[in-house]
């Protein structure tokens, strides 16, 4: 009887783990940001990590964190993304075209911009509605790995615009 219970527990644990784990994914991407100040554009690069959970076939919740890899100069000042945090609902197309699936991102973001190596102040924090579009293509050669390309508008108010074009990989657990 004890052996039967152990086998049942192991089988149930394996079933639960495989059922839940297949809905989680992670993105690693590099991004070219565009910070439009009204007086010009700075374009620092940043790295991005997204964790996601697909709670239905075409709907997912994503959390993102990003930080600059380098800075860019505009009007004799250096701009960089000190930190970027965002939460998105991802709405995917039901079908794919040539194994490429499109999706829409809708959510909220907060971006802190560092100017001239000075610590960010309240005027350098931009938060609000964010949206984006993306495409993913799962690779045939590596199971659960997809190539991802996105355009995201993180902020657009008060003559400031923060956008990014990202390229990276998504791994579905």
């Amino acid at each position: 009887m004890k052996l039967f219970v152990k086998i049942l527990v192991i089988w149930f644990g394996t079933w639960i783990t495989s059922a839940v784990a297949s809905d989680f994914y992670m993105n690693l991407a590099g991004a070219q940001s565009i910070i439009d100040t009204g007086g010009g554009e700075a374009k620092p690069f940043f790295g991005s990590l997204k964790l996601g959970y697909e709670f239905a076939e075409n709907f997912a919740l994503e959390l993102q964190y990003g930080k600059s890899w380098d800075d860019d100069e505009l009007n004799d000042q250096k701009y960089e993304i000190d930190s970027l945090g965002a939460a998105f609902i991802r709405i995917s197309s039901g079908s794919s075209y040539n194994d490429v699936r499109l999706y829409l991102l809708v959510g909220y973001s907060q971006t802190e911009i560092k100017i001239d190596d000075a610590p960010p102040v309240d005027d350098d924090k931009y938060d609000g509605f964010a949206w984006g579009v993306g495409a993913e293509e799962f690779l045939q050669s590596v199971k659960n790995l997809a190539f991802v390309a996105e355009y995201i508008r993180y902020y657009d108010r008060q003559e400031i615009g923060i956008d990014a074009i990202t390229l990276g990989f998504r791994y579905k657990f």
Side-chain angles (χ1 to χ4, degrees):
M1 183 67 173
K2 287 182 180 182
L3 180 61
F4 176 73
V5 171
K6 286 181 182 180
I7 291 172
L8 187 62
V9 166
I10 290 171
W11 175 81
F12 186 71
T14 305
W15 179 77
I16 289 291
T17 303
S18 67
V20 171
S22 66
D23 295 332
F24 286 98
Y25 60 89
M26 178 178 68
N27 275 24
L28 291 173
Q32 171 71 67
S33 66
I34 304 163
I35 302 169
D36 185 359
T37 64
E41 294 180 349
K43 298 180 180 182
F45 282 98
F46 70 92
S48 172
L49 170 69
K50 274 189 188 178
L51 299 176
Y53 177 73
E54 197 169 52
F55 54 89
E57 187 174 339
N58 297 326
F59 296 97
L61 177 64
E62 295 184 346
L63 299 175
Q64 178 182 16
Y65 177 77
K67 189 158 180 70
S68 274
W69 287 342
D70 72 350
D71 55 26
D72 191 29
E73 198 167 303
L74 172 67
N75 299 328
D76 296 327
Q77 293 180 317
K78 291 184 179 181
Y79 286 75
E80 68 178 81
I81 304 289
D82 191 51
S83 69
L84 182 142
F88 293 108
I89 293 177
R90 189 181 85 178
I91 305 164
S92 300
S93 63
S95 61
S96 64
Y97 178 75
N98 287 342
D99 294 327
V100 175
R101 196 163 103 173
L102 303 176
Y103 55 90
L104 174 69
L105 298 168
V106 178
Y108 179 85
S109 74
Q110 179 176 347
T111 307
E112 293 183 18
I113 297 174
K114 192 181 214 182
I115 302 171
D116 282 336
D117 296 325
V121 295
D122 286 338
D123 291 345
D124 298 334
K125 296 179 183 177
Y126 304 97
D127 62 334
F129 176 73
W131 64 272
V133 293
E136 67 181 355
E137 179 181 15
F138 278 91
L139 304 175
Q140 300 297 323
S141 59
V142 181
K143 185 179 178 182
N144 297 334
L145 187 66
F147 177 72
V148 178
E150 296 175 334
Y151 166 81
I152 301 174
R153 171 145 286 199
Y154 290 106
Y155 185 82
D156 185 20
R157 278 189 275 160
Q158 302 167 353
E159 298 181 16
I160 299 288
I162 303 171
D163 303 317
I165 298 169
T166 66
L167 296 174
F169 293 95
R170 173 174 297 142
Y171 183 76
K172 191 171 184 180
F173 296 103

